[in-house]
Amino acid sequence: MEFIRFECIIMEEKRYTYKYRPAYGGMEMMIEFGWGTASDPLLAALSAVLAPVRLQVVSQEDIWANDEICWQLHSDLGPFRLSRDTWGGLFLEAPQNQEGLEKLHRMLSESDMFNSEAADDRDYTLKGGRPE
């Protein structure tokens, strides 16, 4: 397995915004990074902050139907799934590893690179098959 390495120079101290929020219509939590932020600098910052847990890429899947890319990851905290959608959204999920995901959330929130934004759980409930 290889470690995730995103090589790039971060030109300035930049804070990326994310939400620790429930998945749509579910009880599991996930981490959603701001829209249009799935860029090399964000991935480099993410890799740097989470380096202590040694995230490793297990596999990558290109979902051509919606231009989504998914990486299955493993770390000292267990398995995770990182996905990037066609609109530049970046999502970190772990339905079977919520404790590990909460630890990643804490690592991000305690870092100088990431800012946790409050999420309203009601925005992610399903009503009539759609988010409210």
Side-chain angles (χ1 to χ4, degrees):
M1 294 185 201
E2 66 182 63
F3 286 102
I4 297 177
R5 294 184 202 276
F6 296 99
E7 303 291 331
C8 86
I9 298 171
I10 300 175
M11 301 301 284
E12 60 187 67
E13 188 171 318
K14 188 171 186 179
R15 292 182 67 92
Y16 296 97
T17 301
Y18 74 93
K19 291 180 181 179
Y20 183 61
R21 65 162 183 89
Y24 285 113
M27 298 297 293
E28 298 89 16
M29 297 299 285
M30 64 184 293
I31 296 173
E32 174 186 353
F33 296 91
W35 292 104
T37 59
S39 63
D40 287 344
L42 167 68
L43 294 173
L46 187 61
S47 182
V49 170
L50 301 181
V53 298
R54 301 185 304 181
L55 285 174
Q56 299 175 335
V57 176
V58 175
S59 65
Q60 176 181 328
E61 181 180 5
D62 294 325
I63 303 173
W64 63 270
N66 62 356
D67 291 332
E68 183 178 8
I69 299 174
C70 299
W71 295 274
Q72 298 300 323
L73 310 174
H74 185 64
S75 73
D76 291 347
L77 298 176
F80 299 94
R81 178 178 184 258
L82 182 66
S83 63
R84 183 184 70 203
D85 66 18
T86 191
W87 300 281
L90 192 66
F91 306 90
L92 191 55
E93 303 170 272
Q96 306 302 318
N97 185 13
Q98 291 288 285
E99 184 178 324
L101 189 70
E102 184 177 348
K103 289 178 183 177
L104 293 186
H105 161 57
R106 279 198 309 260
M107 291 174 73
L108 292 171
S109 68
E110 292 170 0
S111 79
D112 292 335
M113 296 300 297
F114 291 89
N115 183 36
S116 179
E117 192 174 87
D120 186 343
D121 292 358
R122 294 173 297 182
D123 291 341
Y124 306 102
T125 58
L126 297 179
K127 187 172 185 174
R130 318 175 128 185
E132 287 185 353

